[in-house]
Amino acid sequence: MQKGTNIKYKIAFTVLTLLAVTNLYSRRNTSGNKGATQPVIAAGCSNAVANASLQLNNVRTRIDATGGSMWQDRAGGFAEYEVPKRNNIDDPKFTSIFAGALWMGGTDVNGQLKIAAVTFRSSGNDFWPGPLDPTTAEVSSAECSVFDQYWGVSLAQIKIFVAWYDCTQDPDCDVSLEFPGYQIPDVIREWPAKGNVVQKGGAGPTYDVTEHLAPFFDRDGDDFYDPDAGDYPKYDLIGDIDCRTTRD
């Protein structure tokens, strides 16, 4: 990570992206020379291409996290972490970070070092989208494609949804007056939580979420995500979550 001027900032966001890591490929020697390696993609997944723009507080930045990299327009080689963010494209551009990426490493049960460390994705990839099967540690190319996308949700959206749902359950609350024309936002309906079906762009293959992926508030306690039953992407709205404990 390369830093420019020392600018203090505070940024808060909730963006979900799911990554399948270095298990997806094996390396084999193809030339007979010591140290020569050739990555072989085990799942046949295409490289991640989805990106998103975050604009929060006084920051605008680009993320390509489904492929493990962030904060840079890789095609043009430009830094894309603006602080302060421009209001007009012709205004001067100031960036505090040039590029960043995910680096993860550890040893397997045989003590072999495994590492996934993206630099600028110019010489291959170590990350692909999609949740690994908890039993086989595998993922399919279709699943990689489905999860090459982003789910961004705000606290304001959740607060409105909860207030609307509570109103629908209150015989003394007139929904048509309190929330005229309200529709559950797509990001809440399509949240990739257990029990939901994920699809990219409303077309193509789907993925049935059978494990706990995106966290959610389970209003009726049935362990399945259903916004029509009042479930929603998990925010600690009442401040009763102890961040020191493990949770779904």
Side-chain angles (χ1 to χ4, degrees):
M1 183 185 301
Q2 301 178 20
K3 298 183 179 180
T5 55
N6 183 18
I7 299 175
K8 292 184 179 180
Y9 57 88
K10 185 176 181 181
I11 183 169
F13 63 85
T14 299
V15 169
L16 178 75
T17 181
L18 296 144
L19 301 172
V21 214
T22 180
N23 309 59
L24 294 184
Y25 68 88
S26 60
R27 294 188 178 273
R28 57 185 173 88
N29 193 317
T30 58
S31 66
N33 296 324
K34 183 178 180 180
T37 59
Q38 175 66 37
V40 179
I41 309 305
C45 290
S46 299
N47 293 338
V49 297
N51 63 76
S53 176
L54 295 178
Q55 299 186 46
L56 297 159
N57 296 333
N58 204 26
V59 176
R60 177 190 288 110
T61 187
R62 174 189 174 113
I63 56 173
D64 298 85
T66 55
S69 56
M70 295 169 283
W71 308 325
Q72 182 195 29
D73 178 353
R74 293 185 298 109
F78 304 119
E80 290 293 347
Y81 199 106
E82 294 184 24
V83 183
K85 69 179 181 182
R86 292 174 294 172
N87 294 318
N88 189 302
I89 194 65
D90 295 323
D91 292 342
K93 179 180 179 181
F94 300 97
T95 58
S96 63
I97 301 173
F98 178 67
L102 298 175
W103 285 31
M104 300 181 188
T107 55
D108 63 16
V109 293
N110 298 314
Q112 297 295 311
L113 176 64
K114 306 289 186 179
I115 187 168
V118 176
T119 51
F120 296 94
R121 292 177 64 189
S122 59
S123 58
N125 289 276
D126 278 4
F127 295 91
W128 286 264
L132 295 177
D133 184 284
T135 302
T136 65
E138 294 178 349
V139 66
S140 71
S141 59
E143 291 164 354
C144 284
S145 176
V146 168
F147 280 89
D148 190 16
Q149 61 175 306
Y150 295 86
W151 292 263
V153 65
S154 69
L155 178 60
Q157 286 177 310
I158 299 305
K159 285 183 174 180
I160 293 173
F161 169 80
V162 171
W164 166 82
Y165 184 82
D166 288 344
C167 183
T168 66
Q169 306 302 301
D170 183 353
D172 296 325
C173 185
D174 189 330
V175 176
S176 63
L177 291 178
E178 298 294 333
F179 301 91
Y182 179 81
Q183 298 289 326
I184 299 176
D186 289 343
V187 68
I188 294 179
R189 285 210 173 275
E190 298 167 5
W191 193 243
K194 184 180 179 182
N196 214 350
V197 177
V198 175
Q199 190 172 37
K200 184 177 180 180
T206 60
Y207 179 90
D208 294 327
V209 182
T210 59
E211 303 291 334
H212 285 286
L213 297 183
F216 67 97
F217 176 78
D218 189 8
R219 187 181 292 265
D220 57 9
D222 65 354
D223 203 34
F224 288 95
Y225 181 73
D226 181 6
D228 290 322
D231 300 342
Y232 56 85
K234 196 163 187 175
Y235 273 89
D236 186 13
L237 297 182
I238 59 177
D240 65 342
I241 295 177
D242 185 350
C243 294
R244 297 168 296 180
T245 61
T246 300
R247 59 188 186 275
D248 293 331

